[in-house]
Amino acid sequence: MTNNEVAGAKLQVDRRLLTASAVLIGVGGALGFAGMMLGGSIVLTAGRKWMQQMDASPRELATLKWQQANAASRAGKQAWQAASS
């Protein structure tokens, strides 16, 4: 066999198997997407229920924590100044 004969050879692909694989990939992708959407909606629903059961809103909790951090910072500053003088 010469180089010319090898270059002229064509790749033989079974189109039925190629089509079947494309269909299976598509079905698998669709199932994966549906699973992600279902899981995401479950997580969002659980998060909403958790937020509704909280005594304070996230904004109120953030404000409280910020005030606590500021108070702790001021107390630390005052203690440091008292110790250094």
Side-chain angles (χ1 to χ4, degrees):
M1 191 181 249
T2 65
N3 286 339
N4 290 338
E5 291 174 340
V6 171
K10 292 186 178 181
L11 180 63
Q12 297 290 325
V13 177
D14 187 350
R15 289 184 187 261
R16 277 187 342 171
L17 289 177
L18 187 59
T19 302
S21 69
V23 168
L24 288 174
I25 289 170
V27 169
L31 286 174
F33 181 73
M36 287 190 304
M37 295 302 291
L38 180 62
S41 70
I42 290 169
V43 169
L44 286 175
T45 301
R48 285 185 185 141
K49 286 181 181 178
W50 176 65
M51 295 280 287
Q52 290 171 352
Q53 293 173 352
M54 293 176 65
D55 293 332
S57 72
R59 178 177 288 213
E60 293 169 342
L61 287 176
T63 302
L64 176 64
K65 294 299 179 183
W66 180 257
Q67 291 170 350
Q68 290 173 345
N70 280 338
S73 175
R74 283 191 300 273
K77 180 182 176 184
Q78 290 172 357
W80 178 72
Q81 288 175 344
S84 64
S85 57

